[in-house]
Amino acid sequence: MAKLPQILACVLVVLGFALTSSASIYIVGGSSGWDVSTDLNSWSSDKKFNVGDVLWFQYSSSNSVNQVTKESFEVCNTAKVIETYTGGNTTVTLTKPGGWYFVDGNKLYCLGGMKLMAEVENN
Ligand SMILES: *[C@@H]1O[C@H](CO)[C@@H](O)[C@H](O)[C@H]1NC(C)=O
């Protein structure tokens, strides 16, 4: 029969695993993906993003994912970007708390709503 310390150790291991494996993977925009037809604002409005979560962008080759500053996000400045991703299948891990901002490389699409703000919390 297992002794109490062994049972406690087991509980701690299981608990630790549950805590460290809590990162979520979000397919941005759901089934319609990173697209100008997707209502990204309402997609993100009910999400709670935490450090360690992953944003998975799926998009056509004519689009791109650009991480930008808040300022660029607000005015859809697609010329001043932090990071550009292309290829249609991009994962971005949210490595730190704060605001993460993404816009499409096509300014008109961005103005049409193809942009995403994720307010990331430290669990
Ligand atoms: C897209 O990226 C994911 C995660 O990096 C990978 O598992 C998957 O195989 C990729 N899909 C395609 C079609 O490249």
Side-chain angles (χ1 to χ4, degrees):
M1 208 174 90
K3 297 195 174 67
L4 189 60
Q6 287 165 327
I7 294 170
L8 280 178
C10 198
V11 166
L12 285 177
V13 166
V14 169
L15 190 65
F17 186 78
L19 289 175
T20 54
S21 64
S22 62
S24 304
I25 298 175
Y26 294 98
I27 296 182
V28 175
S31 56
S32 45
W34 180 244
D35 193 87
V36 70
S37 68
T38 306
D39 186 350
L40 291 157
N41 194 40
S42 64
W43 176 81
S44 61
S45 63
D46 65 345
K47 307 282 185 299
K48 289 257 178 288
F49 300 103
N50 289 305
V51 170
D53 287 351
V54 174
L55 297 178
W56 187 353
F57 295 86
Q58 298 178 337
Y59 50 100
S60 76
S61 58
S62 58
N63 290 314
S64 63
V65 177
N66 301 272
Q67 193 188 340
V68 295
T69 62
K70 186 172 194 274
E71 291 70 30
S72 290
F73 174 84
E74 276 162 2
V75 298
C76 285
N77 182 350
T78 53
K80 194 177 160 213
V81 304
I82 298 166
E83 192 85 59
T84 298
Y85 303 96
T86 57
N89 189 35
T90 297
T91 53
V92 176
T93 303
L94 303 167
T95 52
K96 56 180 167 60
W100 288 63
Y101 304 90
F102 299 92
V103 299
D104 185 58
N106 182 324
K107 183 172 182 143
L108 289 177
Y109 284 1
C110 175
L111 291 169
M114 198 172 167
K115 57 187 199 167
L116 172 72
M117 183 195 75
E119 200 58 59
V120 179
E121 284 167 26
N122 220 341
N123 289 307

